[in-house]
Amino acid sequence: MATSLVEFLLQDGLLTGAGHSFRAAHGRSGVIPATQKREGDGATPSGFLRLVRVLYRADRIPPPACAVLLEPIGPLDGWCDDPADPAYNKPVRLPYAASHEELWRNDHVYDVIGVLDWNLDPVTPGRGSAIFFHVATADYAPTAGCVALALPDILAALRAGLSGIRVPG
């Protein structure tokens, strides 16, 4: 684990903090005020998104150094994104009947997943789910609302003690 906690700032396509500056992708609909965030809108919510834990593919990478709880994921791990389901915005075991994301993906985007404290406690149905800090696609395509970096950069940010991401509104 990193010894200090560090806030990073997402602005103008960059994530900066702890002396680092990384190219970053975020929601395809841009950044919106947190009060306006809704499920499926493709936007990254503004505010402070605290990093609560890191999930990773142990079959692909060693455990990343980080300042929070670290957990490996497996083929049966998912995340519910159905606002009508009691497990909305929570991890689920697959197969799962309600709408969900599979965390064990072939495309490497979820090789590292930082779970950000968006709509976690309490969970409000429809306010947005699965707002993660994860690996960007090679072309830095916009996300569904998450913050994404290249794998070496996400590992460096975690190693530097990233404890949360400030997203100006």
Side-chain angles (χ1 to χ4, degrees):
M1 285 192 139
T3 56
S4 61
L5 302 180
V6 179
E7 181 177 307
F8 278 63
L9 176 69
L10 177 68
Q11 197 165 33
D12 301 324
L14 296 174
L15 186 70
T16 57
H20 298 281
S21 183
F22 305 115
R23 182 178 176 193
H26 60 74
R28 68 181 176 275
S29 300
V31 173
I32 62 168
T35 57
Q36 296 176 18
K37 176 70 182 145
R38 298 293 178 263
E39 184 65 41
D41 63 8
T44 301
S46 64
F48 181 70
L49 304 174
R50 185 174 57 88
L51 182 67
V52 296
R53 72 178 187 246
V54 172
L55 311 174
Y56 71 101
R57 288 275 305 252
D59 64 317
R60 292 186 174 164
I61 64 168
C66 62
V68 296
L69 179 67
L70 184 64
E71 300 173 45
I73 58 171
L76 301 181
D77 288 318
W79 197 274
C80 182
D81 59 10
D82 181 349
D85 192 83
Y88 176 64
N89 203 27
K90 295 179 182 170
V92 294
R93 295 296 283 171
L94 305 179
Y96 195 76
S99 178
H100 61 274
E101 287 199 45
E102 293 182 13
L103 301 184
W104 189 268
R105 293 172 51 153
N106 291 329
D107 65 4
H108 298 275
V109 169
Y110 283 173
D111 284 3
V112 176
I113 306 167
V115 178
L116 299 172
D117 187 16
W118 177 256
N119 195 27
L120 293 180
D121 187 20
V123 173
T124 302
R127 191 153 182 244
S129 64
I131 301 297
F132 298 142
F133 177 51
H134 64 73
V135 179
T137 59
D139 63 354
Y140 287 84
T143 70
C146 301
V147 177
L149 306 179
L151 180 60
D153 296 344
I154 197 170
L155 295 174
L158 291 171
R159 194 169 43 252
L162 182 140
S163 60
I165 300 170
R166 172 88 41 210
V167 183

